[in-house]
Amino acid sequence: AIPVRSSRLPLLSDAMTAPAHLYPLIRNCEISRLCSTVCYCHHRHLCCLSSHFAHSHFRCAPQKKFAALCRPKEDFNYFFHTRDYASTPQRFYLTPPQVNSILKANEYSFKVPEFDGKNVSSVLGFDSNQLPANAPIEDRRSAATCLQTRGMLLGVFDGHAGCACAQAVSERLFYYIAVSLLPHETLLEIENAVESGRALLPILQWHKHPNDYFSKEASKLYFNSLRTYWQELIDLNSGETTDVKEALINAFKRLDNDISLEAQVGDPNSFLNYLVLRVAFSGATACVAHVDGVDLHVANTGDSRAMLGVQEEDGSWSALNLSYDHNAQNEREVERVKTEHPKAEEKSLVKQDRLLGLLMPFRAFGDVKFKWSIELQKRVVESGPDQLNDNEYTKFIPPNYHTPPYLTAEPEVIYHRLRPQDKFLVLATDGLWETMHRQDVARIVGEYLTGVHHQEPIAIGGYKVTLGQMHGLLAERRARFSSVFEDQNAATHLIRHAVGNNEFGTVDHERLSKMLSLPEELARMYRDDMTIIVVQFNSHMIGACQNEEL
């Protein structure tokens, strides 16, 4: 039941699902040169799932029992050099239109409508995009305007051990947040409408790319869980104004609790029963922003990030972090985990920079293997469908598993009051941050939005550059501003740089073409799924609000 990765790299004709004409560079000696120029994505490697969880990355360290299934990084060079290639190199790269077709396939833009020629919102609009590395992509994104309260919600979700949990969270979390923010009278009105069979007040206006789908089969189940939540909010009414930070925390925790409960209870419908189990046993991190006027709240669970782009008085760009990674690199997070468990477990809680030696993020939705007791896990797996019971991963109990839960979905919420110099917000999964520093992200997006990059001198960063190389850099920049290279979406522009940047900080078309030509079984070795939302702020409106308060 467990797919074993082949001990050799398959020929393109053996395994390709995409058109073979896109990948001739993999043949004819190109692969060995490619491997020396691209960065290896080092931290996710576990192929211990059944075919139902195929192509997933649990972000876990390989265990001895799965050693035959997991190839260490050092083995890949061996794979690359065991294949005989044609002796005559034949170079072929994707053309610029082909590159653009790949980069722009999932891009989406939304502009906030103006009223009487004026934009009264602090948000001008946003651009978003996704570039898959996994097949299917495990990242998700969401954006919506709150209709019964004020503000806009935007979020990115990074799935692991499959896309099921990220998909569910991307569909459901914003409804939980919106309900948490509703006043008591509105909750009563909605409940009365359901009771009497009347049409419900719309809560959210979604802004979705056609590829961002909803699960129609689970809609009734999801609605019933949400209704139970707002009924409890009605019963617990305190009469106090809802605090945004508290609403965000409650929504995250309640959704994760419902995901767990739905998996325990099961469903008479076999499809739904398997779906809720897949959602619970997979996992997802989430980074969500709520923007209401000049009030910006960021709720983060896991290792996706939010970053504010700030324009300084001299026109330069700086980055302001609005989230912190919940992993072993965050000392406060490590201490939090240690304080929640007996001192006798201190040495086994974090091993090889992973929770219990397995999981990279220390906070996530789903991942019930790190939350349920051993007894509950065994009961659910044994009574579940055959697909679950036959899966080695779901039956595997983490080592040193004594005092669960070890994992939480509770977010860390950061508040920021927007200023006129705060020009944009970037929400992105860790696929971006693994390849680019936040300062470079701020500069690239800032220059893109202002058009300054047309006049900026080329920085060579201390490298010795020949006259021919400088000529090539200047020619590349001139070509970049032709219509075929010009991006109309800030997230697409950022992905282009993240994947194609060379050592000089400019996009190298040859490198970009190579990276986008990798077949799916190779792409994940070099980069992760990448999901980006760039929110552009209305500085005039924010400045006017600031002046009114003076």
Side-chain angles (χ1 to χ4, degrees):
I2 308 174
V4 179
R5 179 170 290 173
S6 171
S7 60
R8 66 178 183 87
L9 270 180
L11 288 168
L12 250 58
S13 58
D14 294 337
M16 288 309 303
T17 56
H21 72 272
L22 292 180
Y23 307 107
L25 66 106
I26 305 298
R27 311 183 187 100
N28 305 324
C29 299
E30 284 300 303
I31 191 65
S32 59
R33 197 161 71 86
L34 177 64
C35 300
S36 64
T37 59
V38 295
C39 299
Y40 176 77
C41 184
H42 65 279
H43 75 250
R44 295 178 190 163
H45 230 81
L46 186 64
C47 305
C48 58
L49 306 181
S50 76
S51 59
H52 302 284
F53 291 89
H55 305 295
S56 66
H57 63 281
F58 187 42
R59 295 200 266 187
C60 299
Q63 297 298 297
K64 290 183 179 179
K65 67 186 296 183
F66 301 123
L69 313 180
C70 304
R71 301 290 178 185
K73 172 183 173 182
E74 290 75 17
D75 287 350
F76 292 131
N77 286 332
Y78 170 75
F79 294 157
F80 291 145
H81 294 293
T82 56
R83 173 72 53 203
D84 292 328
Y85 297 95
S87 58
T88 304
Q90 297 179 2
R91 296 186 181 183
F92 174 85
Y93 304 116
L94 300 175
T95 64
Q98 289 173 323
V99 167
N100 283 344
S101 178
I102 294 171
L103 290 180
K104 297 182 178 184
N106 297 309
E107 69 177 12
Y108 178 83
S109 295
F110 173 77
K111 302 300 179 187
V112 175
E114 295 185 357
F115 299 94
D116 297 328
K118 296 181 180 179
N119 189 322
V120 295
S121 171
S122 59
V123 175
L124 290 173
F126 70 87
D127 294 332
S128 71
N129 202 350
Q130 293 184 299
L131 182 67
N134 292 287
I137 186 172
E138 295 180 340
D139 281 5
R140 294 293 186 270
R141 58 182 166 177
S142 292
T145 300
C146 299
L147 297 179
Q148 301 305 319
T149 57
R150 301 187 308 174
M152 180 177 283
L153 288 164
L154 308 106
V156 294
F157 312 93
D158 188 350
H160 47 266
C163 62
C165 188
Q167 175 64 35
V169 174
S170 70
E171 293 182 36
R172 305 176 67 181
L173 181 58
F174 285 10
Y175 280 114
Y176 279 70
I177 295 172
V179 164
S180 300
L181 290 169
L182 290 176
H184 184 253
E185 295 75 15
T186 307
L187 290 173
L188 283 174
E189 187 176 349
I190 292 174
E191 175 59 21
N192 290 334
V194 175
E195 283 287 345
S196 60
R198 292 184 285 111
L200 292 178
L201 290 171
I203 299 176
L204 295 172
Q205 178 189 357
W206 290 94
H207 311 298
K208 302 182 78 67
H209 187 277
N211 292 344
D212 302 334
Y213 66 92
F214 279 101
S215 174
K216 295 180 180 178
E217 296 84 358
S219 58
K220 183 177 180 181
L221 171 68
Y222 292 169
F223 176 80
N224 289 338
S225 294
L226 181 66
R227 184 185 180 188
T228 300
Y229 178 43
W230 80 53
Q231 287 172 337
E232 292 180 13
L233 290 176
I234 291 172
D235 294 339
L236 295 172
N237 174 45
S238 62
E240 299 178 0
T241 304
T242 304
D243 176 72
V244 176
K245 179 178 180 178
E246 183 181 356
L248 288 167
I249 293 173
N250 291 341
F252 273 60
K253 293 170 65 177
R254 179 53 183 252
L255 175 56
D256 191 55
N257 183 74
D258 284 353
I259 288 172
S260 174
L261 187 61
E262 288 161 2
Q264 294 176 49
V265 173
D267 194 282
N269 180 299
S270 59
F271 175 83
L272 286 180
N273 191 43
Y274 185 48
L275 174 64
V276 297
L277 289 167
R278 287 176 56 219
V279 170
F281 277 91
S282 59
T285 66
C287 188
V288 172
H290 179 264
V291 190
D292 180 9
V294 296
D295 297 318
L296 170 61
H297 289 83
V298 174
N300 183 54
T301 289
D303 53 8
S304 295
R305 295 181 189 172
M307 182 216 78
L308 200 62
V310 182
Q311 189 169 32
E312 306 296 344
E313 291 184 0
D314 62 358
S316 63
W317 295 93
S318 62
L320 177 64
N321 282 344
L322 290 181
S323 66
Y324 298 100
D325 292 352
H326 299 134
N327 55 28
Q329 279 64 55
N330 184 337
E331 293 182 3
R332 288 189 306 165
E333 191 67 5
V334 173
E335 287 303 312
R336 179 192 65 79
V337 172
K338 288 181 178 179
T339 59
E340 293 177 355
H341 298 276
K343 193 168 183 64
E345 294 186 58
E346 188 170 301
K347 292 184 178 180
S348 62
L349 284 171
V350 180
K351 284 187 173 182
Q352 298 177 326
D353 288 344
R354 290 168 168 81
L355 186 65
L356 298 181
L358 292 172
L359 192 62
M360 285 289 293
F362 285 11
R363 305 191 193 194
F365 286 90
D367 284 326
V368 293
K369 294 194 68 60
F370 296 86
K371 297 172 182 176
W372 288 355
S373 67
I374 294 176
E375 294 75 17
L376 178 57
Q377 291 189 44
K378 289 181 177 179
R379 179 177 65 79
V380 171
V381 170
E382 290 171 0
S383 62
D386 292 339
Q387 302 102 310
L388 192 74
N389 199 29
D390 293 341
N391 187 281
E392 289 295 325
Y393 162 65
T394 56
K395 293 191 291 186
F396 171 66
I397 302 297
N400 303 300
Y401 197 80
H402 305 298
T403 56
Y406 291 90
L407 191 67
T408 180
E410 180 173 344
E412 185 174 17
V413 181
I414 293 179
Y415 170 76
H416 178 80
R417 185 174 180 80
L418 291 172
R419 308 160 297 176
Q421 62 264 40
D422 299 330
K423 301 300 182 181
F424 59 88
L425 173 72
V426 176
L427 300 170
T429 55
D430 61 348
L432 173 68
W433 310 110
E434 288 169 352
T435 61
M436 297 191 74
H437 190 273
R438 63 179 182 275
Q439 187 57 46
D440 293 326
V441 171
R443 176 184 57 79
I444 289 169
V445 175
E447 291 177 356
Y448 168 82
L449 293 176
T450 58
V452 171
H453 55 292
H454 288 254
Q455 295 84 30
E456 283 292 302
I458 291 179
I460 60 175
Y463 288 93
K464 292 183 179 179
V465 180
T466 66
L467 186 60
Q469 288 174 321
M470 180 57 74
H471 178 269
L473 290 171
L474 291 169
E476 184 276 330
R477 184 168 75 171
R478 184 168 60 251
R480 193 166 71 243
F481 304 129
S482 66
S483 59
V484 72
F485 278 97
E486 195 67 43
D487 292 316
Q488 305 301 316
N489 181 296
T492 303
H493 187 71
L494 195 50
I495 290 176
R496 189 185 298 274
H497 276 267
V499 177
N501 263 12
N502 58 22
E503 63 268 31
F504 304 113
T506 60
V507 176
D508 182 336
H509 176 71
E510 181 178 321
R511 175 188 172 89
L512 181 61
S513 176
K514 287 179 179 180
M515 293 293 286
L516 294 179
S517 301
L518 289 172
E520 61 188 44
E521 68 266 25
L522 287 180
R524 188 59 190 85
M525 299 177 186
Y526 299 107
R527 59 178 176 82
D528 194 2
D529 294 333
M530 202 175 294
T531 298
I532 301 171
I533 299 176
V534 179
V535 186
Q536 190 173 0
F537 293 122
N538 186 345
S539 298
H540 297 294
M541 181 270 184
I542 294 171
C545 291
Q546 191 178 63
N547 292 333
E548 289 177 3
E549 296 173 358
L550 296 177

